[in-house]
Amino acid sequence: MRNTIFIFLCLLGWIGSQAQSNHLVETFGNVYRQYIFETIKDFPAPKGYRPIYISHIGRHGSRYPVSKGYVRNGMDILLLGDSLGILTADGKALLRAYIKMDSICSGQYGMLCERGIQEHKKIAERMYNRFSPLFSQSGRKRVNVSSTDLPRAIVSGANFCTALASLCPGADFHFVAGPMYYNLLCNDTDSRISANNKAGALESDRYMDEHFPYDTFYGRLFSNPQEMYARLKTKRLLAESTFSNGTVAAYLGLPDILDRMSPKEYQEASIAYTNKMYFNHCNGRLAGSWRVHFMDSLLADVVSKADEAITTNSNMLADLRFSHDTGMMPFFSLIGIEGYDKALDFDDSYKFWDSSALMCMATNLQMIFYANKQNDILVKLLLNEKETTIPLLKHTIPHYYKWSELKKYFLSRIAQ
């Protein structure tokens, strides 16, 4: 009986630990959090308007760590500690967790995982069910699909289209991918962006030095933290790597990495990373004035494709685009969509930008175009399937924008 009670209490403790871990990841998982499907709510379109066309852009789904080097960022520091003989029991457990993750991810770094496949299939199915009248139009059958040339984006698009095609067998899909589409949909390789990313890393170092409990974290992993500090260029790297790789490992079914971070450590590392991402790629006060304009060409493409699609003789059902967070963050900031609309200082970004909700894996923006018999066009914006707004542009009709007004606003955002 005593053993049964002990096992029961252990099970309760494990369930409680898992619940806490899940809550932390959902709240602070940042750009590494898996997509979470929520109940769909729609404000109905005005009488006489029906959906005719969708302009969609989606981030690739949940994936394995982006590269082996990204995992080695943390693992190599632990291996160094091990070679010096100063790893504690917790440090050795964390090292084993990293080694296990590296083994499981071998040959799959940067690739979409099964969860990512299912995310895109389900988003496509929900889109079809939500806007089924759109997909039953007799005169509109063409679906244009473009992707960057990275496999995780291509495979995301392929699974999205497979699911959509099974529900809409009459649709005519045209899928393209390549470096030119990476430049259009992501465009993040310019040297100015790289320099800004380095500045963001330095800002993150400063913020973590002020807020992250390094002595507690390193003291739990190393018997001589000061010796490790002396050998590292930055203390941030192990903490950031454990936060980011631990979040990915959690949805891969490997919770061991996150088990070695306290809730406070996880939260503080996430806040610093949120601030860095907004500084690097969004409407940061220092670089946002030029960073977001790397997506001018994509916004112009969205406008021109939509203009072609809304003509009464068009055969277009949808334009589907598949990209990455470093392309979509500045694109959303250029548009000024809610959550990306403020110019923010580094330390304040996390207070206004909920990165876990607004740039998780498989993040998507759907622009749904509605027409009446006079071909007057309204547009509804959905960010991660939730109705959203552009704070700088007032609605003429609740939850819907007139395309003429939205188009004028979009063109005004493009640098002249």
Side-chain angles (χ1 to χ4, degrees):
M1 181 65 177
R2 192 176 295 173
N3 287 341
T4 302
I5 293 173
F6 175 76
I7 293 171
F8 178 69
L9 290 175
C10 288
L11 180 59
L12 284 180
W14 180 83
I15 292 172
S17 174
Q18 286 294 106
Q20 175 178 267
S21 177
N22 290 341
H23 172 73
L24 281 171
V25 168
E26 289 185 12
T27 307
F28 298 106
N30 204 287
V31 300
Y32 299 101
R33 195 202 78 180
Q34 72 272 25
Y35 194 82
I36 295 175
F37 291 92
E38 300 184 15
T39 302
I40 288 175
K41 298 178 181 179
D42 269 318
F43 191 89
K47 187 176 180 179
Y49 286 83
R50 57 184 177 81
I52 61 166
Y53 165 72
I54 293 176
S55 179
H56 163 282
I57 184 167
R59 183 189 180 192
H60 61 76
S62 294
R63 54 158 172 74
Y64 292 91
V66 70
S67 69
K68 186 179 183 72
Y70 208 69
V71 171
R72 296 298 303 226
N73 281 340
M75 190 165 75
D76 285 351
I77 294 172
L78 294 164
L79 287 170
L80 174 61
D82 191 40
S83 71
L84 296 171
I86 59 173
L87 273 190
T88 65
D90 273 339
K92 290 178 180 178
L94 182 57
L95 176 57
R96 288 194 299 272
Y98 266 99
I99 292 172
K100 181 179 180 181
M101 186 176 188
D102 178 49
S103 175
I104 288 174
C105 297
S106 179
Q108 301 187 92
Y109 277 110
M111 302 298 170
L112 208 65
C113 68
E114 181 60 30
R115 179 183 290 272
I117 290 172
Q118 296 306 320
E119 286 167 351
H120 277 280
K121 284 185 174 183
K122 189 168 182 179
I123 292 168
E125 290 167 358
R126 283 158 63 99
M127 175 192 283
Y128 176 85
N129 291 328
R130 189 175 190 176
F131 304 109
S132 54
L134 184 152
F135 292 99
S136 62
Q137 297 174 93
S138 59
R140 292 177 178 266
K141 298 298 180 185
R142 185 179 175 106
V143 179
N144 284 339
V145 189
S146 57
S147 170
T148 74
D149 56 338
L150 295 186
R152 58 184 173 273
I154 295 172
V155 176
S156 293
N159 281 282
F160 190 105
C161 293
T162 298
L164 191 58
S166 69
L167 296 166
C168 189
D172 181 18
F173 289 84
H174 295 254
F175 200 125
V176 293
M180 67 176 288
Y181 296 102
Y182 189 96
N183 292 337
L184 176 66
L185 297 167
C186 202
N187 196 20
D188 62 355
T189 59
D190 190 277
S191 59
R192 284 181 294 169
I193 297 174
S194 299
N196 187 57
N197 292 350
K198 291 179 182 178
L202 293 176
E203 285 292 301
S204 192
D205 281 333
R206 173 193 59 77
Y207 188 91
M208 290 277 276
D209 284 341
E210 295 172 4
H211 296 89
F212 189 84
Y214 280 125
D215 289 343
T216 301
F217 179 67
Y218 275 84
R220 197 166 59 251
L221 301 175
F222 304 96
S223 60
N224 188 344
Q226 296 302 322
E227 184 168 359
M228 290 304 301
Y229 294 162
R231 293 170 178 269
L232 300 176
K233 292 181 179 179
T234 171
K235 293 184 283 187
R236 169 179 56 85
L237 196 57
L238 178 58
E240 182 178 282
S241 178
T242 302
F243 148 73
S244 58
N245 287 300
T247 304
V248 172
Y251 67 63
L252 292 175
L254 303 169
D256 304 25
I257 294 179
L258 282 192
D259 285 348
R260 303 300 153 184
M261 291 195 94
S262 72
K264 177 177 174 56
E265 290 162 0
Y266 185 83
Q267 182 175 341
E268 291 295 348
S270 174
I271 287 172
Y273 204 90
T274 293
N275 291 347
K276 185 174 73 168
M277 288 294 99
Y278 206 89
F279 180 97
N280 288 356
H281 303 295
C282 299
N283 195 19
R285 197 177 297 278
L286 181 64
S289 59
W290 58 264
R291 174 66 181 95
V292 303
H293 288 294
F294 279 87
M295 305 315 296
D296 281 356
S297 294
L298 176 57
L299 183 53
D301 184 68
V302 167
V303 170
S304 64
K305 292 289 196 328
D307 264 348
E308 293 173 12
I310 62 176
T311 59
T312 54
N313 61 346
S314 173
N315 66 344
M316 288 300 305
L317 271 178
D319 279 288
L320 309 177
R321 303 169 176 90
F322 296 89
S323 184
H324 309 266
D325 57 351
T326 53
M328 291 172 64
M329 286 186 284
F331 179 63
F332 291 169
S333 301
L334 176 62
I335 291 174
I337 203 163
E338 187 175 3
Y340 289 83
D341 52 302
K342 292 181 172 63
L344 300 174
D345 291 320
F346 186 97
D347 289 12
D348 294 331
S349 298
Y350 79 96
K351 299 174 186 176
F352 300 97
W353 183 51
D354 184 355
S355 55
S356 300
L358 301 179
M359 192 43 68
C360 57
M361 299 293 182
T363 283
N364 56 90
L365 175 67
Q366 299 173 21
M367 298 172 54
I368 316 301
F369 288 71
Y370 294 74
N372 63 7
K373 290 183 178 179
Q374 291 74 43
N375 206 39
D376 182 54
I377 306 296
L378 301 179
V379 184
K380 176 161 66 174
L381 305 178
L382 304 174
L383 181 56
N384 291 339
E385 305 177 284
K386 298 177 184 176
E387 292 175 336
T388 189
T389 64
I390 295 174
L392 291 175
L393 184 62
K394 292 183 178 179
H395 287 95
T396 304
I397 301 167
H399 298 271
Y400 293 82
Y401 291 100
K402 284 185 171 291
W403 173 236
S404 57
E405 296 172 358
L406 184 60
K407 174 184 172 181
K408 181 179 179 181
Y409 167 80
F410 280 165
L411 294 176
S412 75
R413 302 290 286 182
I414 298 173
Q416 303 301 315

